[in-house]
Amino acid sequence: MKLTIETKRRIIRFTTVIGVIITIVGSIYISQSEYFQPDGGFSDFLSRLGFMGPIIFILVQISQIIYPIIPLGLTNVIGDLLFGHLWGFLFNTIGMIIGSSINFVIGARFGHAVIRAFISDDDYIKYMGIMNHGHRFKRLLRIGFLAPIFPDDIFCMIAGVSNMRFKQFIGMVIAYRPVSVFIYTYFTSNFIQVVFEYFS
């Protein structure tokens, strides 16, 4: 049975709500559990995984770029807290570049139907109108890549249905998205640590 656009949107909204709930509950549990402290059992577990630990995290990060169940870019913060500022940034960036590339390909392969499932009709009409003006769309992409509040992952799919070449797209991703990831992740992770230390 073929699902309608509205049914797909309901499914996406439902899974997003579940992701928010899991994220909140998980954050509270992690903040109070000795297992997830710097010298706790989870650090030992990551050490035993060796190179597979970062690979698993990068795969999770890629999945979050394609279909962000965990909201607000919190997987970036998780990577920073688990691997430190430098390695966390590197693994976050690798996952982000690969995930953004996949979103571009998804847009190019499946077209407008997949984009409409993630955004409202009003937003779809607005973004499609901007997409048809090359300079405005590039400016929107830059803003989206730099500002974490924008639906930049959807913009990647929209770029896939535009006349933008993949080489140009990936150049913009590499030039702009890491800046946003570093700034947002650094300040958010430090803020979370201060809050957790205050309430612990």
Side-chain angles (χ1 to χ4, degrees), residues 31-114:
S31 67
Q32 297 178 348
S33 173
E34 294 183 359
Y35 182 75
F36 291 96
Q37 297 303 311
D39 297 326
F42 191 70
S43 295
D44 295 336
F45 173 71
L46 285 177
S47 299
R48 290 196 299 271
L49 284 177
F51 72 94
M52 286 302 298
I55 290 177
I56 292 172
F57 173 76
I58 289 172
L59 292 175
V60 171
Q61 182 71 317
I62 291 171
S63 70
Q64 280 298 115
I65 297 293
I66 298 172
Y67 187 25
I69 295 177
I70 300 176
L72 303 176
L74 288 179
T75 47
N76 294 334
V77 178
I78 292 171
D80 184 85
L81 295 175
L82 289 179
F83 301 105
H85 293 317
L86 177 60
W87 288 107
F89 171 72
L90 177 63
F91 300 148
N92 281 326
T93 301
I94 291 173
M96 174 209 57
I97 292 174
I98 296 174
S100 299
S101 303
I102 292 174
N103 273 357
F104 181 95
V105 173
I106 288 174
R109 173 66 179 83
F110 297 102
H112 296 264
V114 68

Side-chain angles (χ1 to χ4, degrees), residues 2-198:
K2 188 175 181 180
L3 299 177
T4 65
I5 291 295
E6 192 54 40
T7 301
K8 293 176 182 177
R9 287 172 179 165
R10 289 196 190 100
I11 293 172
I12 291 171
R13 285 195 293 266
F14 175 77
T15 54
T16 300
V17 170
I18 295 299
V20 170
I21 295 172
I22 292 174
T23 301
I24 294 173
V25 174
S27 298
I28 295 172
Y29 174 76
I30 289 173
S31 67
Q32 297 178 348
S33 173
E34 294 183 359
Y35 182 75
F36 291 96
Q37 297 303 311
D39 297 326
F42 191 70
S43 295
D44 295 336
F45 173 71
L46 285 177
S47 299
R48 290 196 299 271
L49 284 177
F51 72 94
M52 286 302 298
I55 290 177
I56 292 172
F57 173 76
I58 289 172
L59 292 175
V60 171
Q61 182 71 317
I62 291 171
S63 70
Q64 280 298 115
I65 297 293
I66 298 172
Y67 187 25
I69 295 177
I70 300 176
L72 303 176
L74 288 179
T75 47
N76 294 334
V77 178
I78 292 171
D80 184 85
L81 295 175
L82 289 179
F83 301 105
H85 293 317
L86 177 60
W87 288 107
F89 171 72
L90 177 63
F91 300 148
N92 281 326
T93 301
I94 291 173
M96 174 209 57
I97 292 174
I98 296 174
S100 299
S101 303
I102 292 174
N103 273 357
F104 181 95
V105 173
I106 288 174
R109 173 66 179 83
F110 297 102
H112 296 264
V114 68
I115 297 171
R116 291 183 62 201
F118 283 92
I119 57 178
S120 67
D121 289 332
D122 290 340
D123 285 340
Y124 173 77
I125 294 171
K126 178 176 65 177
Y127 293 145
M128 288 303 109
I130 296 174
M131 183 192 75
N132 294 327
H133 298 82
H135 293 298
R136 288 183 64 195
F137 182 57
K138 290 176 184 176
R139 186 163 61 246
L140 180 66
L141 276 180
R142 293 188 188 100
I143 295 173
F145 290 160
L146 288 172
I149 61 173
F150 277 76
D152 48 346
D153 299 327
I154 302 301
F155 290 171
C156 295
M157 293 184 185
I158 295 174
V161 301
S162 72
N163 58 4
M164 180 178 290
R165 297 171 59 186
F166 179 77
K167 182 178 180 180
Q168 185 181 29
F169 167 79
I170 202 64
M172 292 181 66
V173 170
I174 294 173
Y176 294 102
R177 290 201 78 174
V179 176
S180 174
V181 168
F182 178 80
I183 295 174
Y184 170 79
T185 303
Y186 180 82
F187 285 103
T188 305
S189 63
N190 279 282
F191 173 76
I192 289 175
Q193 286 179 330
V194 169
V195 172
F196 284 171
E197 287 175 3
Y198 178 81

